[in-house]
Amino acid sequence: MDKFFDKTKQMTTLLRTTPVDFSKEFPYQLLMDKLAEFLGCDLFIVDSKRNFLGYHYSHTDKQNSNALKTFFNYQKLPESVAAATLAFYEINHNKKIEDSILAPVKELAEYYSESSITVAPVYGSSLRIGTIFILSNNPLEVEQLILVEFLASIIGTQLSYLMLEELENKRRDNTLATLVGSLSRTELESFKAIIEKIEL
């Protein structure tokens, strides 16, 4: 129990001290790098639109693979796989890749044929907003699965905040567009004059 508690504290410290930069295409890249080392496995995360948000593979043969690099940097998770992923409402763990939902993804099936696949859904504001995939050499133990669940909850909170922020920005833009569209020409000129003064 003490060992697991120590790991939980380490995970908490890692999550607290690793910055997540949502202005980048792969905002969770740094976190994925560190967590992969902490958990001793490869992993990647996708959002609800099938976009990769971060990934990490530790073995040299994978790091030098142009096929994997192209897959994570320029492609999306296939629609059929993404749809199957949404059917998981709780963590699905320790499946061989040929028995997992990643079986159709040839870029992964080739390099992870002997790996155990764990799929962890990410929720935020009661919505399914992403998925974490863990690819490990050995089946994950109960303690590791608990840490993965903890990780998914933290990331779910972060992504939920980002989604709410984007929705608020869209609401403001729509409100402004509606307001401007309802102004007369004279009112528009006055509005423009006010904005110019504010910018000065």
Side-chain angles (χ1 to χ4, degrees):
M1 182 61 73
D2 289 342
K3 183 179 179 182
F4 176 64
F5 181 60
D6 288 339
K7 284 187 175 181
T8 304
K9 288 195 297 183
Q10 292 174 34
M11 172 78 86
T12 303
T13 301
L14 185 59
L15 291 168
R16 187 172 60 246
T17 58
T18 305
V20 176
D21 187 354
F22 287 113
S23 66
K24 294 184 177 180
E25 186 176 1
F26 291 93
Y28 285 98
Q29 187 59 51
L30 181 59
L31 186 59
M32 293 295 103
D33 292 341
K34 292 187 176 182
L35 285 169
E37 295 175 11
F38 180 79
L39 294 171
C41 59
D42 295 0
L43 43 78
F44 63 90
I45 179 173
V46 296
D47 63 14
S48 58
K49 297 179 181 178
R50 303 184 293 124
N51 299 307
F52 292 103
L53 301 178
Y55 63 93
H56 179 89
Y57 36 83
S58 57
H59 297 90
T60 305
D61 63 327
K62 298 183 182 67
Q63 292 173 350
N64 295 331
S65 167
N66 288 328
L68 279 179
K69 184 177 181 180
T70 298
F71 176 66
F72 285 118
N73 284 275
Y74 303 108
Q75 298 181 36
K76 290 186 175 185
L77 204 62
E79 289 185 10
S80 59
V81 174
T85 301
L86 295 177
F88 293 114
Y89 297 98
E90 57 187 28
I91 195 166
N92 183 271
H93 59 285
N94 299 330
K95 303 289 184 182
K96 283 296 183 182
I97 196 162
E98 65 265 23
D99 300 321
S100 76
I101 59 174
L102 295 180
V105 186
K106 63 181 186 304
E107 293 88 350
L108 299 178
E110 177 182 352
Y111 286 93
Y112 293 99
S113 59
E114 301 300 319
S115 297
S116 290
I117 311 300
T118 296
V119 181
V122 175
Y123 286 93
S125 301
S126 301
L127 298 173
R128 178 65 175 278
I129 55 179
T131 308
I132 301 173
F133 294 86
I134 298 93
L135 307 100
S136 54
N137 290 333
N138 300 303
L140 296 184
E141 299 177 356
V142 173
E143 290 181 354
Q144 290 174 303
L145 292 171
I146 293 173
L147 292 175
V148 169
E149 288 270 21
F150 180 62
L151 167 64
S153 296
I154 297 297
I155 290 180
T157 302
Q158 292 175 331
L159 284 177
S160 178
Y161 174 77
L162 177 64
M163 287 176 60
L164 290 173
E165 188 176 36
E166 288 180 346
L167 287 173
E168 179 62 19
N169 288 336
K170 287 181 180 179
R171 186 188 67 80
R172 289 175 182 167
D173 290 343
N174 290 336
T175 300
L176 180 60
T178 301
L179 174 63
V180 171
S182 66
L183 297 177
S184 66
R185 183 172 181 177
T186 304
E187 290 171 330
L188 279 173
E189 290 175 354
S190 299
F191 182 71
K192 181 180 178 182
I194 292 171
I195 295 298
E196 289 175 349
K197 288 180 179 179
I198 292 175
E199 291 178 348
L200 292 175

